[in-house]
Amino acid sequence: MLWIMSQDKQSLINVIEVSAEGKKIVGISNEWNKTLGKYDSNERALVILNEIFTKIQENSGFSVTYTMPIK
């Protein structure tokens, strides 16, 4: 289970997939897509996506949490 706090701190979202779409990071569930954060460049969005991946790899528990950085 992956829980992500959105960049604007207005949503805590349980997602099944996270993707970089240009400058945005998007969380995906079975029924919807939601922008979790927007960044200055595609490269920065890919760095954030890699941070989320690393957090998942490092966590051995049932649930993983991640807070989207401001920049």
Side-chain angles (χ1 to χ4, degrees), residues 9-39:
K9 308 295 188 251
Q10 298 297 309
S11 300
L12 180 62
I13 303 156
N14 185 329
V15 297
I16 59 171
E17 184 178 331
V18 179
S19 64
E21 295 182 2
K23 298 178 182 181
K24 299 187 294 184
I25 299 292
V26 177
I28 301 166
S29 80
N30 289 330
E31 300 175 12
W32 48 259
N33 297 353
K34 179 168 177 71
T35 298
L36 302 173
K38 295 179 185 175
Y39 297 95

Side-chain angles (χ1 to χ4, degrees), residues 48-62:
I48 300 301
L49 186 63
N50 190 56
E51 286 179 7
I52 294 169
F53 175 73
T54 300
K55 178 83 170 184
I56 292 167
Q57 277 189 316
E58 292 173 347
N59 192 304
S60 60
F62 175 73

